[in-house]
Amino acid sequence: QVQLVESGGGLVQTGDSLRLSCALSGFSLDYYTIGWFRQAPGQEREGISYFSKAASRPYYAPSVKGRTAISADNAGKVVYLQMTDLKPEDTAIYYCARRKAPFTTAWDDPAGYNYWGQGTQVTVSS
């Protein structure tokens, strides 16, 4: 049974850091890409970054580039999203998702992912 479970969100202040976790079960990270997305109220879901063991380097959306790092544990059971210098505009529900294989869309298109976690709320106060 494929499952993704996010954790690590919370209420922080501007300039703080957070590490979000996405616990994986029911499949191997060796064969799938994991994406991180976020959705603020009234806005579309935005792709932030993705992790793939086959990728030469990670990719980050311009809105978070330079403040974000994606990684995975050695066992391939958790994908992390480390965010620093948080801003109020980072306030959103953060989701991790498993990308379809083979790929059907660009990496940041939510339609290209078929398994999603429940999300974790990140709120950045000014």
Side-chain angles (χ1 to χ4, degrees):
Q1 181 181 357
V2 174
Q3 281 192 315
L4 300 93
V5 179
E6 303 94 338
S7 61
L11 172 64
V12 298
Q13 295 188 343
T14 297
D16 283 352
S17 300
L18 271 181
R19 189 177 76 163
L20 305 181
S21 299
C22 175
L24 315 175
S25 60
F27 65 97
S28 173
L29 191 57
D30 290 345
Y31 306 114
Y32 292 95
T33 294
I34 300 299
W36 276 98
F37 292 77
R38 66 184 181 186
Q39 188 165 22
Q43 297 188 21
E44 294 187 351
R45 196 162 293 192
E46 175 194 13
I48 301 171
S49 183
Y50 71 84
F51 181 90
S52 169
K53 287 191 174 183
S56 58
R57 60 176 178 82
Y59 185 84
Y60 303 99
S63 59
V64 300
K65 191 173 184 179
R67 304 187 292 121
T68 302
I70 195 168
S71 62
D73 70 336
N74 290 336
K77 296 298 185 183
V78 185
V79 175
Y80 301 104
L81 189 73
Q82 177 74 46
M83 301 188 72
T84 62
D85 190 23
L86 285 161
K87 309 174 188 299
E89 51 264 41
D90 294 318
T91 295
I93 300 175
Y94 284 71
Y95 300 91
C96 60
R98 195 184 83 174
R99 195 175 183 186
K100 296 177 183 176
F103 301 158
T104 58
T105 65
W107 76 267
D108 57 350
D109 184 346
Y113 294 75
N114 54 358
Y115 289 94
W116 293 81
Q118 81 288 351
T120 185
Q121 176 72 47
V122 173
T123 303
V124 185
S125 64
S126 57

